[in-house]
Amino acid sequence: MNIVKNMEAVVIAAVALTFVTAMASAEAPRARSAAQTAPAAAVKADSEMTTIVVTGKRLTAAQKADLAA
């Protein structure tokens, strides 16, 4: 019965333990070299860019009103 009375403390302790465990097992970020931080645009300058064309008619005011209702 004592656990039921202190359920809030049990939950907070479980969350705190999970947070501490996650932080303890986290890997530190590694230093990046200049080659890794180069912009992607400079690396892929020779490749063609994909273009997507969307065609369609615009809705009339009556059609927009029908969709909104």
Side-chain angles (χ1 to χ4, degrees):
M1 284 299 210
N2 200 14
I3 289 181
V4 175
K5 291 180 181 178
N6 298 318
M7 189 59 76
E8 181 181 3
V10 171
V11 170
I12 290 174
V15 170
L17 182 63
T18 303
F19 178 75
V20 169
T21 304
M23 294 303 288
S25 64
E27 185 175 320
R30 296 183 180 150
R32 296 184 185 178
S33 66
Q36 290 176 336
T37 58
V43 175
K44 297 182 179 182
D46 294 333
S47 64
E48 285 192 30
M49 183 180 295
T50 305
T51 304
I52 300 172
V53 179
V54 178
T55 58
K57 295 182 178 179
R58 292 185 148 223
L59 295 176
T60 63
Q63 291 171 331
K64 288 180 185 178
D66 287 341
L67 290 174

